[in-house]
Amino acid sequence: DKDAKVGISVDDVKADSVEDLSIIPSDPNFDPLLFLTLVHRNASFEQLQTSIAKLDNKADNQVQRLQNMVRDNFELFVRCADGIELFNLEGSAKSAPGKGKGKGKGKGKDDAPGVKERLDKLEALSESSSYQAKKSFKPLLDNTNEVRKVQSALAVLQRIGPLLQVPTLMRQHIENGRYAAAVKAYRRVLVIDDNNNIEILRHIKAKATEAAREARGDLESTIADPNTPVTKLLDGIRDLNELIDLDVPMDTSHAEGSDEREGVFSVGNLSINVRNHTPALACLLLQSAHFSASVEKLLQQAETSTQRIYNGETVSFVEEDSKAGSEDASGSAATSQEGSDKGGDNKSGSRREGGNRWKYDILEARVVATKRAVAVARNWLPRLLRIGVAAREAERRLSARKRTPQPSKQGGKTANITSFEIFVTTLTPAVTNLVEHATFCALGCSNSSNGEELKMTFGANAERRLQSLLRAPLPPAQSAKCASELADVWEVVHSISASSETLRPEDDELEGRKFSHRMLEAPMEVCVALAEDAVVTVERRRCIYAFDVCARSCAQRASGNGTFDGDALLSCVQKLSEELTRAEKCANEVKKGCELVVRRCCEGLASYVRDRGDAARLRAVAECAEALNGRVVDVVREVSYLTNGQCESVEEALAEDIMALEATMFDEFLDNICRHVAGCTKLGPTSADLGVNDAPDGGESTLPPKSFPAYLSACLLAIVRCRAQVDRALGDATIRRSQGITYQYLAMATAADGVVAGICYELNERMPRMSGPQADQFASELQFLMNTLKKYLSDDMLSVAENCKRMLFAKAGHKQGGDGPDGLMMIEELERLGRVYVLCLGE
């Protein structure tokens, strides 16, 4: 149908000779019918009409543009036309001589060249000029080209200059230990493609890769070195991680198997390939192995040193030899040489010739071994914890990468071990051995009541004599040195155990791994408990030793000077409060120690008084009273602070011992007073002293005495002497704690009661032989004595004196009780004569 609309058929086209026709519009043999038939075969008539209209518009537009161009450049077209016409006229004039006349003058028309000849001549001139110019300026142009080439080369070198310096910079950084800067420099050459066509760039990348491999080897050696500081270890782990992430190619120039030997380090009998693990985990493995080796070396060193001392060498010799022979593998185990402070020479001698000196050397060697073990723990455990934390962070990062699929850049075998597993299986046993070693060296034996013995970390195969010395507790001086060391061990182990919680894996990371619940919760609980028990034991011993020394010194001062040294006990308790770290668990030892010191002081005071008189007894009583009211109170307060109020009965126990001694001493003093005043109450003969005259009515009368009675003078002097003794020793205000009364009053009351009791006894004995005037005089003297001593007399003694006085009055025949003028006059005369005694016994 479409062919019918066009008005021509395909057969008509085929009938013509189509071999010479073309459908390309620019071809001279272009055939529109063939073009429409082949190209627009499927186009409709409407489409063809629309296309023809568009072509007409384009043709019209093109004609219009040509017209506009001619109109705009008409002057140029005119000049070009004139020039063309001029060349045509001159050419025609040369081809037809004699015809027409030219416009030019001065030359004949026949000699005028044509256009083509002129153009050829001009071209020849230009070629000649070009040849001459090239010939003349060729060296200059060549130099200019060389300069341009050099400038271009310099520009290229300037652009790649930093890349060219990378290998040299990396070598310098590696030599100076700046591995982070070397890794940063290596990153620059990674922009160079392996297939780069520039040989120098490929060479630079190869050299930089070689330096990177060298840096990796140095970093692996760094993390395997036990003497490297922990900060440098962590920096090395970071830099090695960055190098591994950059995927440094392996060296293919070495022999087969050399790659397997690279990165393999041996620690004792253990070989570790750091390239099978992450750098942090490999560092933790290596450093843990070094720590275990250090612990084993400590045990062996303690075994060797004690055996050599037992064989006859001194501590100084062994320490110098061990220090010169081998350093501690920890690098900071502080192999401090602890010489024996007992004196002596440094030369080796026979153990038998030296007597017991080797025993002191063994004890000193135990102190040295304890300090070494503590130094290893103090240096290694925080170091391993920091490395473990870094390894745990690396595990978390690696776990995060596995959750988001990314190609692993870690070479070598797949590592199944974790930092927590290393901590549990490798570090915990080594730490346990270290704590057991420090505990055995410092304690020797346990103080537990259940009979448990400490593990013997060395000396198990030694002779029985040496074993008994190794298991013996250290003396006070050496034990005090080890107490602080064991406290440091506990602090380190406890902090590591508490911080190990950060290493515990997540629940999804525990699949397929066998860990006990105890290990997961507290892997170092046993170590902490062992260190805690060791600290408590050594501090209990320290309390025992301190109080024992204090008790001996206080006993010596008490028995020699009669002094109850409460200040020494207070100072001992205060010193222990500053030094003890487990005072609450040493409460029983503190209580018993205070009781021991007080008991020894009391025994010393009793020994001091044994061969002395009342003055010594009063001195002992005064010391006891001062202690009860002074230092004992301070000691009880310090003990309460020290033990956090766990020793509530210590005051009662201390006061009981002191009050027992005080009661014994003071009672003996009072007994002596009673015996003394009993000898002063003898009345003696009285017939010569009494003035008996005949009364006017033939009876008898009693005259006032002319002198103070001798027995009263002796009794009152005894009482005054007793008061002076008590005042000099105790003062007049010191109160007896058990009775709440001053010692002065108690002594004078005892003396007064003794005097009155003795006089009443004497009067009762003489009552049947006594006359009336004598009875009256004795009654007045007894009344005077009662008036003078009534402040100190007890109620019972006052009753006895009143009964005796009534009997005397009855004997004298006074029905009114003797209150007459004669009796009052006699009492007044006695008060006048005995005024001095009354004043001495007054306030």
Side-chain angles (χ1 to χ4, degrees), residues 250-264 275:
M250 305 301 295
D251 190 3
T252 58
S253 62
H254 292 174
E256 294 183 2
S258 60
D259 293 340
E260 297 180 359
R261 293 190 298 269
E262 291 181 354
V264 178
R275 300 190 179 182

Side-chain angles (χ1 to χ4, degrees), residues 461-490:
N461 299 324
E463 295 183 11
R464 185 180 300 275
R465 192 177 181 185
L466 178 58
Q467 287 187 4
S468 62
L469 188 59
L470 292 176
R471 286 191 175 277
L474 290 175
Q478 285 80 4
S479 182
K481 294 178 182 178
C482 296
S484 59
E485 300 293 335
L486 290 180
D488 292 343
V489 167
W490 180 86

Side-chain angles (χ1 to χ4, degrees), residues 382-436:
R383 171 191 184 97
L384 293 172
L385 178 62
R386 293 184 64 180
I387 298 173
V389 171
R392 179 58 187 155
E393 292 176 355
E395 291 173 2
R396 290 173 179 168
R397 289 194 297 267
L398 187 59
S399 179
R401 290 179 183 178
K402 288 181 179 179
R403 293 192 184 99
T404 58
Q406 291 182 358
S408 177
K409 295 184 180 180
Q410 297 289 343
K413 303 177 183 179
T414 304
N416 294 324
I417 195 170
T418 62
S419 59
F420 186 76
E421 188 173 353
I422 297 173
F423 197 84
V424 171
T425 59
T426 304
L427 285 182
T428 301
V431 174
T432 303
N433 292 336
L434 183 62
V435 174
E436 288 177 348

Side-chain angles (χ1 to χ4, degrees), residues 9 24 56 71 121 151 178 243 245 351 437 462 495 502 527 621 651 793 808:
S9 64
I24 300 175
D56 291 340
R71 185 179 296 107
K121 187 176 180 180
Q151 290 177 347
R178 298 189 296 267
L243 270 181
D245 291 338
R351 173 169 53 87
H437 178 64
S495 63
T502 59
C527 300
V621 172
E651 182 177 7
L793 292 176
L808 291 174

